[in-house]
């Protein structure tokens, strides 16, 4: 097993850093983005302030829990339930007074065989999540 890192491209969000952090650090705000998620790939979405559970095709059930908040720049998640244990970081940096740069990072312990099968879907998923987060009304 070796640690594999996947990073989204850097996205620009047209909102101040603190407002973006406040929205993303409270998972109850997922209510506002539910309609932007691909219904054919995501089912059984449930969440509270600190965790989110979802069934993702073809991966299965996932539960992510916030393990650290570093206001206003980082939110760290880890899996509580997942076929592949991983950590997810949401990093936020001010681009200006009214815009924020965001990057998502996933780190997972993967053996080379599994990495070969999941690297593409993980990278695509990260990009889709990052893109969806740019469309949220902050």
């Amino acid at each position: 097993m070796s640690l594999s890192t996947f990073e989204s491209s850097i996205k620009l969000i047209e909102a101040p850093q603190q407002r973006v952090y406040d929205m993303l650090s409270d998972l109850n705000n997922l209510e506002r983005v539910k309609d932007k998620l691909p219904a054919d790939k995501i089912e059984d979405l449930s969440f509270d302030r600190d965790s989110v559970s979802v069934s993702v095709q073809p991966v299965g059930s996932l539960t992510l829990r916030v393990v650290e908040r570093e206001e206003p720049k980082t939110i760290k998640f880890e899996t509580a339930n997942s076929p592949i244990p991983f950590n997810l970081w949401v990093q936020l940096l001010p681009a200006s007074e009214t815009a924020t740069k965001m990057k998502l990072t996933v780190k997972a312990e993967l053996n080379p065989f599994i990495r070969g099968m999941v690297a593409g879907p993980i990278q695509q998923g990260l990009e889709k999540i990052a893109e969806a987060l740019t469309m949220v009304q902050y």
Side-chain angles (χ1 to χ4, degrees):
M1 296 284 238
S2 63
L3 192 61
S4 299
T5 301
F6 304 90
E7 296 179 334
S8 73
S9 54
I10 295 171
K11 303 291 184 185
L12 189 66
I13 297 174
E14 295 296 331
Q17 180 184 16
Q18 186 67 51
R19 192 176 326 152
V20 174
Y21 175 86
D22 290 345
M23 168 90 170
L24 297 180
S25 66
D26 182 347
L27 297 180
N28 283 317
N29 290 319
L30 285 172
E31 188 66 45
R32 296 160 73 175
V33 297
K34 269 183 13 182
D35 60 329
K36 293 186 173 39
L37 301 172
D40 61 325
K41 301 234 188 287
I42 294 185
E43 303 167 352
D44 305 324
L45 179 66
S46 64
F47 45 84
D48 59 30
R49 182 176 187 276
D50 295 315
S51 66
V52 58
S53 294
V54 66
S55 185
V56 181
Q57 298 305 325
V59 178
S61 293
L62 288 176
T63 301
L64 285 172
R65 181 176 74 236
V66 175
V67 291
E68 187 179 329
R69 292 177 174 91
E70 189 179 337
E71 188 172 347
K73 56 187 183 178
T74 311
I75 307 156
K76 294 181 182 177
F77 299 84
E78 72 179 17
T79 53
N81 172 37
S82 171
I84 299 171
F86 64 90
N87 292 323
L88 168 70
W89 284 262
V90 178
Q91 296 161 290
L92 305 169
L93 289 170
S96 69
E97 292 289 313
T98 59
T100 303
K101 291 190 280 188
M102 178 193 68
K103 181 171 82 170
L104 305 180
T105 303
V106 165
K107 292 190 179 190
E109 286 281 336
L110 301 174
N111 70 43
F113 177 73
I114 297 290
R115 180 182 165 77
M117 293 191 321
V118 301
I122 290 173
Q123 191 64 50
Q124 288 175 342
L126 260 186
E127 285 300 328
K128 285 182 179 159
I129 293 167
E131 193 59 40
L133 291 176
T134 66
M135 295 183 230
V136 173
Q137 290 301 308
Y138 293 93

